[in-house]
Amino acid sequence: MAIGDIIVGIDIGTSKVSTIVGEVNNFNQIEIICSSTKKCSGIKKGKIINEEEIALAIAKTIKDAEEEANFKINSAYVTIPGKYATIVQNSITKELKDKYSGIGVRDVGSAIMQVRDIEVPEGKTIIDIVPNEFILKDGKTTQDPVGELSQGFTLNAQIILAEKEYVRKLAGIFKKAGIEIDGLVPNTLAERNLILDTNELHDNVMLLDIGAGNTDIGIFEAESFIYTNTIPLGGDNITNDIALVLNIEEEEADKLKKQYGLALKSFIDNDNDIILNTYKGDGKNKIIKSSELIEIIEARIEEIFSLVNKDITNKGIKSRINNVILTGQGITNINKSDVAGKIILNIPVKISTGRLISTIKPAYRSSYALIRYIAARPFAKSVSSSIDSKRETGILQNILERIKEFFYT
C-alpha cells in the first residue's frame, strides 16, 4: 500500500450510489474518512436507463463527502457490473542478464506492462491488469519476486477488458457530475478480499453478490480471476413479486419479505396467518398463510440460482467450482437461501463469513471493498485519487495512464 494515499471509491448499484473516501494509514490499513449514499434507480437490469439521475446521485454523494472531509474531490475509482467485463489470461517470460543482481522492481513493472500487450477485441478496452503469480527459472512460485536471485521469471496475469461503449457512457455521466474516473474494477474482483475468508482465498470459489436488481458472478481459482458476469435479477424482484401476486403495496411487500424471509417452504415451522394491510382488492384486509408468501419468495430465488447454474454450465466452468459464497443485501436476510442454492447448483453454498464483512454497513460494502482493492495493489507507487487538481484527459487514456502509474517506478 502507498501510505498517505487518499482513495475515493464509488459503487453504482441498481438502488443507490455509494461513495467512500479512505486514506492508507501508517499501519497499511484503510482508514475511512467519510462516506455518503443516495438512492438512485438510473440502472435497471444492468443497463443505464437514466444518465441524469445517476450523475445527480454521484454529485450529491461527492458534495456530502467533500463537506465532511473538508477537501475537493476531483476523481474516483468506480465499480462495474460483471456483464461488461471480460477476463483474458496472459503470461510473459522475462530473461535477466545477471541472476546475482536480483529481480528488481523495474523488472517486475516492465513485465506487467508487457503482459498487457494482447490483441484487444473491437469494442473493448483494457481497464485493469491483475498480476497472478511469478514463476522463477527454478520453478519456484511467488507473489513478489523482487530481490529473488534468478535468471528470469514468467508472469501469469489477468487482463481485464470492458465494453468501450459502457465506459464512454460512464465517462459522460461522471463528467456531468464533475468527477474523473481513476479506474474501473469489476464488482466481484473488488469484493473478493472482503467477502472471502482466508481458506476461501486459496480455493476455487464462485462469489455471488445478489443485490437489489443484479446478481454479480465472480469465479476465482485460488488467486486467478477466471470469469465474471451479471444476472439481471435481485432482491427487488422478490419484493415486486410479493407485491404483484398478493396485490399489496411494495413497502408492505418489502416488510413481509424481511419479516418472513425464508427461501424454502419445506422449512416452515408454523404456517401462520398474515394480515395484508395494504390489500388493493375487495375488503380492507386480507388474510393469507405464511406458506403462500414463502412460496413466492422460493420461486424467484429458484429462478436466480437456475439462471446462474445455466450460465456457468454453458461456459463450461461449473465443474471447476468447489464452493459458492453468497453475499449481498438481496439475499443474506432470507433464511435457507444457501440451502436453496446448494439444491439447485449441486455445489456447497454458504453465506459469507469473511471477518471484515460485519464491520461495514451493507450499503457501503462494495465501495469499501473497492478502495481496499485499490490500496492493496502490488508494486503500486501511487494509487491516490485527485483531491487537489483536475486533469483534462479522455477516460480511456486516463485509465491507461493510471495503469502505468501503478506499475512503473
Side-chain angles (χ1 to χ4, degrees), residues 21-200:
V21 182
E23 182 176 7
V24 183
N25 64 23
N26 292 331
F27 301 99
N28 281 334
Q29 297 173 333
I30 283 288
E31 192 172 308
I32 297 175
I33 297 174
C34 56
S35 59
S36 178
T37 185
K38 296 294 178 185
K39 289 183 178 180
C40 179
S41 55
I43 290 182
K44 189 173 183 179
K45 294 185 177 180
K47 294 181 179 180
I48 295 170
I49 60 170
N50 192 327
E51 295 186 11
E52 296 292 339
E53 184 178 353
I54 299 170
L56 184 61
I58 292 168
K60 285 180 178 178
T61 64
I62 290 294
K63 183 181 178 182
D64 289 349
E66 287 176 335
E67 289 177 355
E68 188 175 344
N70 199 28
F71 54 65
K72 190 174 186 322
I73 296 169
N74 299 313
S75 69
Y77 294 90
V78 185
T79 59
I80 66 168
K83 69 178 291 183
Y84 296 109
T86 304
I87 305 163
V88 177
Q89 308 291 331
N90 197 25
S91 63
I92 187 170
T93 298
K94 192 170 183 65
E95 302 290 340
L96 303 179
K97 294 180 179 178
D98 183 7
K99 67 174 289 186
Y100 297 105
S101 64
I103 298 172
V105 175
R106 279 190 173 277
D107 298 320
V108 173
S110 64
I112 292 172
M113 294 312 298
Q114 288 174 43
V115 82
R116 67 178 284 273
D117 187 18
I118 63 171
E119 186 174 339
V120 179
E122 188 176 351
K124 297 187 182 295
T125 186
I126 296 174
I127 60 167
D128 203 1
I129 302 169
V130 184
N132 184 27
E133 62 180 6
F134 297 84
I135 304 172
L136 306 184
K137 279 286 188 180
D138 63 3
K140 178 183 176 182
T141 299
T142 178
Q143 300 298 313
D144 184 359
V146 175
E148 295 279 358
L149 300 179
S150 179
Q151 288 183 320
F153 59 87
T154 296
L155 165 62
N156 294 326
Q158 286 87 55
I159 315 303
I160 314 298
L161 309 177
E163 292 186 13
K164 271 187 180 180
E165 186 56 33
Y166 184 78
V167 174
R168 287 196 180 101
K169 279 187 178 180
L170 274 185
I173 290 168
F174 274 81
K175 186 176 182 180
K176 290 175 184 176
I179 299 294
E180 286 185 2
I181 297 177
D182 287 321
L184 300 168
V185 181
N187 281 321
T188 51
L189 176 60
E191 291 176 341
R192 176 178 178 268
N193 287 332
L194 181 70
I195 302 302
L196 305 185
D197 64 28
T198 304
N199 293 330
E200 291 159 357

Side-chain angles (χ1 to χ4, degrees), residues 277-291:
N277 298 312
T278 62
Y279 180 63
K280 300 173 185 177
D282 295 335
K284 289 185 178 180
N285 295 326
K286 181 181 179 180
I287 298 175
I288 65 165
K289 290 291 186 180
S290 59
S291 57

